[in-house]
Amino acid sequence: MGKRKPEFDADRASALAAELHALSGKLKRRLRELASAGDLTPSQTSVLMHLDREGATTVTALARSEGVRSQSMGATVAVLEAAGLVSGSPDPADGRQTILSLTSACRELIRSGRAARHDWLLRAIQTKLTAQEQEQLAASMSLLNRLVDT
């Protein structure tokens, strides 16, 4: 794809970038509110999301991926285990290691949280936007995807 000819001046593009950044932060905070993560810290939530995305793993691998020491990750995991969100089982390949995975209760919490966020967004689109505005929003999705995929 060749270079695009600038259609906006630099000031307008900068203002658009600032507005989009602020709006995306506001949307992210609103969706996070609906996640009902309870009293979980950001690091605990990050561990749960990692296990949900990547699957079962060890404390050492989690620590490496989160950029913290194994001892710190062990403390985080201990809280999650005590809350019934994570369980450990011996690694079949190395009995000295423990493989951590989400419990079924945690998977249900994640599923219901996603459903709540989806339902809120769906209702907001249906009730706050006209049919024409919904079409405009749909058309903007490809533009937003191009921005994040660059």
Side-chain angles (χ1 to χ4, degrees):
M1 187 183 294
K3 289 208 172 203
R4 289 191 163 275
K5 181 180 174 186
E7 296 174 16
F8 275 171
D9 64 34
D11 291 338
R12 176 72 176 124
S14 178
L16 186 58
E19 185 177 0
L20 184 57
H21 185 243
L23 179 62
S24 67
K26 195 173 175 181
L27 179 60
K28 185 177 178 181
R29 281 187 298 280
R30 181 68 173 113
L31 291 172
R32 193 178 301 132
E33 288 171 7
L34 296 166
S36 68
D39 295 330
L40 297 178
T41 66
S43 59
Q44 292 165 347
T45 301
S46 181
V47 166
L48 295 178
M49 292 304 99
H50 179 92
L51 290 171
D52 183 51
R53 257 189 336 270
E54 306 295 327
T57 191
T58 64
V59 169
T60 303
L62 274 173
R64 194 175 318 118
S65 71
E66 297 292 319
V68 298
R69 294 177 312 140
S70 290
Q71 294 84 351
S72 298
M73 183 55 67
T76 300
V77 167
V79 171
L80 295 172
E81 282 182 306
L85 300 173
V86 172
S87 64
S89 60
D91 184 341
D94 181 354
R96 299 169 295 168
Q97 295 278 339
T98 299
I99 302 292
L100 301 167
S101 59
L102 299 176
T103 63
S104 57
C106 184
R107 289 188 190 289
E108 178 55 27
L109 282 174
I110 291 170
R111 189 208 60 73
S112 65
R114 283 183 180 142
R117 291 187 300 275
H118 176 84
D119 289 347
W120 172 81
L121 201 47
L122 173 64
R123 281 192 313 278
I125 289 169
Q126 290 175 327
T127 61
K128 297 181 184 238
L129 301 179
T130 66
Q132 182 180 4
E133 289 169 330
Q134 289 179 41
E135 287 300 322
Q136 289 173 327
L137 181 61
S140 68
M141 290 298 126
S142 66
L143 297 175
L144 292 171
N145 277 314
R146 275 194 4 226
L147 287 178
V148 298
D149 289 341
T150 57

